[in-house]
Structures are given as structure tokens and as C-alpha cells.
Amino acid sequence: MKLTKREIDRLTCPPGKRDAMFMDDEVKGFGLRVTERGSKVFLFQYRFAGRVRRMVLGPYGDLTPAQARKMAEEARGLYLLGRDPAGEKKGSRAGRSGGNGAPNGAGGG
């Protein structure tokens, strides 16, 4: 199924399950996780170095299906170039400094 607003609004987690994954038919790897409590999160799933990887794109509501699909297409482009989109996203977060570019406690003053 194509993940559209109408389809996503109708999706629920099956009874007795903690969460369920629903994959888009247009963009390979693009999907939505629906939890038993009703939260819905867009993600991109792929296989890298022999392991299944999932990269969270963001929650439904903060992102529209079109925005999330575009992000998944960009992540898929990196994947097709032989790169690890989730690893790069995680690495860019870890490389950020505390705001002023100086190590903690070494701010200007």
C-alpha cells in the first residue's frame, strides 16, 4: 500500500502485538511503525553489513507522508551509494558540540 494520510489514519496495531510495521509500495524501505498505544513513526529500513537497520525519520503529525517519503528517498540514495544512512545520522549527532563550539567548561567569558 502507498502510505498516504488516509491510509495512515486508518492503520492500527493488531490486538496482542506491541507494534506493527507497514511498508510503502513506492519507496523501497520506507515504512511506518504503529504501536499498541497508537503512536505512529516513519522509518527507513535497509540491510547494511549483513544486518537489518532501521532509521527513524520522525513521528507522523510532525512529518507529513510526503516529507517522510522524501527523507526516505534521500536515505535510500545514500544506501545505494554504499553508505550507512543511520550510522551517518548517528555520527553527526555525536559530533555536535555544546553550542559555543568549545568543550564543556571552556566557554568564553
Side-chain angles (χ1 to χ4, degrees):
M1 98 181 83
K2 180 176 179 181
L3 292 175
T4 62
K5 181 179 180 342
R6 175 177 281 158
E7 290 296 325
I8 292 170
D9 287 341
R10 285 195 274 181
L11 293 176
T12 60
C13 184
K17 293 229 179 197
R18 198 178 84 190
D19 61 8
M21 293 276 296
F22 299 92
M23 302 307 285
D24 186 72
D25 289 338
E26 281 192 2
V27 178
K28 188 171 181 174
F30 175 50
L32 183 81
R33 177 186 293 143
V34 181
T35 68
E36 63 187 342
R37 294 185 178 195
S39 72
K40 298 174 181 182
V41 177
F42 292 110
L43 51 86
F44 175 65
Q45 179 175 292
Y46 59 101
R47 183 174 292 278
F48 189 80
R51 299 181 67 188
V52 173
R53 304 269 297 175
R54 289 185 184 144
M55 181 174 110
V56 173
L57 302 173
Y60 174 60
D62 288 356
L63 292 174
T64 66
Q67 290 169 322
R69 183 174 283 106
K70 185 174 190 305
M71 292 171 70
E73 288 170 346
E74 291 169 2
R76 182 160 170 73
L78 291 175
Y79 167 74
L80 292 174
L81 291 172
R83 294 164 58 185
D84 180 8
E88 290 184 19
K89 180 180 175 185
K90 189 175 187 179
S92 70
R93 282 189 301 199
R96 289 188 204 150
S97 63
N100 63 1
N104 288 341

